[in-house]
Amino acid sequence: MMKNNLVFYFLFFTFLLNSEILDFSISYLGIDVIDVKIEHSNEKIDVWATSTNVGHLMAKMKNNYYIEYELDYLPKNYQKKIIQKKYAENRIIRYDRQKKIANRTSFIDSMKNCEYQIKAKSRDFFSSLFYLRDFANERNGSFWLDANGLIWKAEFQVLNDELINTKLGKILSQKVKITFQKISKNKKKQSDMLTNNLVSEENVLFFWFSKDVHKIPIKAQYSMKPFPIIWNIKSYQK
């Protein structure tokens, strides 16, 4: 009995140590338009993105992204439930890395069910964020993205350290620049605003990670025209 209790407490505290919750606000023209909550624990990433009252007038959004991953944040299953103005998704993508194939099943429109080619280490947007967070130790590097069935190559460059003002206080952070190159020849199709539409050869994505053991993604900036989209950390729990 004592042994079973010790095992339970060990597993429980291990779960707590491996769990974290990150809250962000996404702003455009200085106005908070989307709230994002990311829960990360036990090789699972659960993301909720909801438009604010003001943002609801500009672009309605109630999206959920759920990822189950394995070593190096390589997703096994990636489920998307998208509710946006004039656009919706409810689908799951299952990855077969040995065959380098992804299988997409839509629960709204079976005509969108398909198989498509991937790279052996393709990731979705959020698993790529966690990979970059942990492995952007070199000055330069790259990773593969699966963006709505298209293969993209993302190259990153660690730039410099900056002291960033946040709601958590002033945080010394490491700035990382990310550029994208479309490898697939097929054209981009309509997708959700939060992830796949951020992948573009014309625009640059910047992330700032806290320069400590947690490497918290405290800020992001997507340099699109005419004005950038900015992510700011609101709270962090571990």
Side-chain angles (χ1 to χ4, degrees), residues 37-224:
K37 178 184 287 290
I38 302 177
E39 298 184 7
H40 175 222
S41 65
N42 293 341
E43 300 184 335
K44 298 178 179 65
I45 303 169
D46 195 8
V47 183
W48 286 91
T50 308
S51 51
T52 63
N53 290 336
V54 175
H56 195 77
L57 300 175
M58 301 169 61
K60 173 186 175 183
M61 177 183 291
K62 189 176 182 181
N63 297 354
N64 177 234
Y65 310 81
Y66 182 74
I67 303 104
E68 296 176 310
Y69 65 83
E70 51 192 357
L71 186 66
D72 290 347
Y73 300 98
L74 291 170
K76 297 184 293 184
N77 301 308
Y78 175 35
Q79 188 163 5
K80 299 173 65 177
K81 295 180 181 179
I82 308 300
I83 300 175
Q84 295 175 183
K85 187 177 182 180
K86 298 182 180 180
Y87 185 73
E89 286 182 23
N90 185 358
R91 61 179 60 168
I92 186 168
I93 297 97
R94 298 179 175 89
Y95 292 93
D96 186 331
R97 301 197 177 275
Q98 289 187 337
K99 296 181 180 179
K100 297 182 182 179
I101 287 176
N103 184 291
R104 183 174 72 198
T105 302
S106 172
F107 301 105
I108 295 178
D109 183 358
S110 60
M111 295 295 292
K112 294 183 178 180
N113 295 351
C114 66
E115 284 187 351
Y116 57 88
Q117 295 292 318
I118 60 169
K119 294 291 185 178
K121 293 189 176 182
S122 288
R123 297 177 180 85
D124 63 276
F125 181 85
F126 290 107
S127 59
S128 294
L129 168 61
F130 278 85
Y131 170 80
L132 184 65
R133 172 188 179 185
D134 277 9
F135 292 96
N137 298 317
E138 303 295 331
R139 304 306 297 181
N140 300 285
S142 63
F143 54 92
W144 296 104
L145 270 173
D146 170 19
N148 200 26
L150 300 181
I151 297 173
W152 289 74
K153 185 178 183 180
E155 295 187 345
F156 68 86
Q157 180 182 3
V158 178
L159 299 179
N160 54 277
D161 295 346
E162 293 185 6
L163 192 62
I164 303 295
N165 286 314
T166 76
K167 291 188 176 181
L168 307 180
K170 292 184 178 180
I171 299 178
L172 182 63
S173 62
Q174 190 174 57
K175 185 178 181 180
V176 181
K177 176 183 178 182
I178 307 166
T179 56
F180 303 98
Q181 178 187 3
K182 188 163 76 72
I183 304 302
S184 298
K185 295 181 179 180
N186 296 336
K187 292 183 179 180
K188 291 178 67 175
K189 296 181 180 180
Q190 184 180 10
S191 185
D192 65 286
M193 294 184 290
L194 190 64
T195 59
N196 294 335
N197 285 351
L198 294 180
V199 180
S200 168
E201 292 181 320
E202 290 75 33
N203 302 319
V204 178
L205 180 63
F206 295 95
F207 270 105
W208 286 260
F209 298 97
S210 63
K211 199 167 183 183
D212 57 19
V213 294
H214 299 301
K215 296 183 179 179
I216 305 168
I218 62 170
K219 181 180 178 180
Q221 179 175 308
Y222 184 61
S223 300
M224 61 179 290

Side-chain angles (χ1 to χ4, degrees), residues 17-28:
L17 290 172
N18 292 331
S19 300
E20 56 185 345
I21 300 175
L22 305 94
D23 287 292
F24 299 89
S25 61
I26 300 179
S27 63
Y28 184 69

